Each structure stands twice: as structure tokens, then as C-alpha cells.
Amino acid sequence: MKRLLAALSLAFLAAAAHAEISQKFGSLEIHYNALTTDALQPEVARTYKIERSKTRGLLTVSVLKPNKVGVRMPVPAKLKVYATNPSQQLTHIDMREVKEGTAVYYLGEFRVSPPATLKFNATVEVAGEPRRELSFEQSFYR
């Protein structure tokens, strides 16, 4: 229960800190968000073993797919994520899967030097679906 509350806090904080964004690809809906980890509550950061810092970023991703009755539910996915900084340096972001009850989401940490805008490129693979390519930019401020 405590982890579920922490997950909800993480999701709420992420949405409040930066608007959560989603893109639809056929039946899939991919939600993502990137923020600096200093915006996380200390308890949430401890629960997920995330270092809080203005120079550390956190990427959250969840993939939803309609179930048999049409309700969008989280599904497992294989993610490959890269970020490019303003100097065109490419960094791979390791994404770790978190499962809590019916929730499935992915967390990845990366370095950022605000002010900066990073470009994220992700490949998302879900069983039974074509591979999807996702790109977005996120600005980080001091």
C-alpha cells in the first residue's frame, strides 16, 4: 500500500511539474513525462531509489492498450530510449519496469544541465503490436 501511494504521488507530481503528454499509435496510447528529480518528494525518491538533484532527470513512460471491453489498461513493453542534448551528444537511458497491482510503468534517469532542452527518441515494442517510434523535446530550467 505504501508503494502504491508513492507511485500515485510520483505520477501526480510528474503531471503537476510538467504536463504529462501522450501520443496515440493505433490501439496504443503512450504517456510520457520528463522532469528534474529535485521536484520529487523525498519519500518518493527514496522509495524508487532516485537521487534528487537539479542535474538529474527522470523520464516516466506508461503504455496503455484497450482490454477486451475497451478499457485502456497498462501493458508491459520493451523500451529503448535515447536523449540528445544541445551539443548533439547522445545518451542511452536505461528504463526500469515498475509493477504495482495492475499498474505497469517505466522509469529512467539521466543527467541534465539546466537550462537545456533535450530531445528524446524512444522505440516502444508491445507484444502483438508493430514497433512504435516516439520523439519529443523537453526543456529544463534552473
Side-chain angles (χ1 to χ4, degrees):
M1 182 63 155
K2 194 173 192 178
R3 287 184 61 102
L4 179 59
L5 289 174
L8 292 173
S9 296
L10 177 65
F12 176 75
L13 180 62
H18 298 283
E20 183 177 293
I21 306 162
S22 66
Q23 290 186 28
K24 289 186 180 183
F25 297 92
S27 65
L28 296 181
E29 189 172 293
I30 303 170
H31 292 252
Y32 52 91
N33 193 7
L35 65 150
T36 54
T37 60
D38 65 323
L40 296 174
Q41 295 294 325
E43 182 180 331
V44 172
R46 274 191 302 276
T47 299
Y48 292 96
K49 297 179 175 69
I50 297 169
E51 177 188 340
R52 293 178 71 234
S53 172
K54 291 181 181 185
T55 61
R56 299 282 301 166
L58 176 67
L59 176 64
T60 65
V61 178
S62 63
V63 181
L64 305 177
K65 183 177 179 179
N67 63 14
K68 292 179 183 178
V69 294
V71 176
R72 293 193 179 277
M73 298 294 294
V75 294
K78 290 182 183 177
L79 301 172
K80 289 184 185 175
V81 182
Y82 295 90
T84 306
N85 69 14
S87 301
Q88 299 305 307
Q89 295 171 317
L90 184 69
T91 301
H92 177 259
I93 300 175
D94 287 320
M95 301 297 288
R96 59 185 163 113
E97 183 178 76
V98 178
K99 289 184 177 181
E100 294 180 347
T102 60
V104 179
Y105 52 95
Y106 299 86
L107 303 176
E109 295 179 69
F110 54 92
R111 293 216 172 274
V112 62
S113 298
T117 298
L118 298 183
K119 181 174 182 179
F120 295 88
N121 292 293
T123 301
V124 180
E125 295 183 60
V126 173
E129 293 284 335
R131 178 177 24 205
R132 307 299 184 170
E133 302 290 330
L134 173 74
S135 294
F136 68 96
E137 291 185 1
Q138 178 65 53
S139 296
F140 299 89
Y141 304 97
R142 292 183 195 246

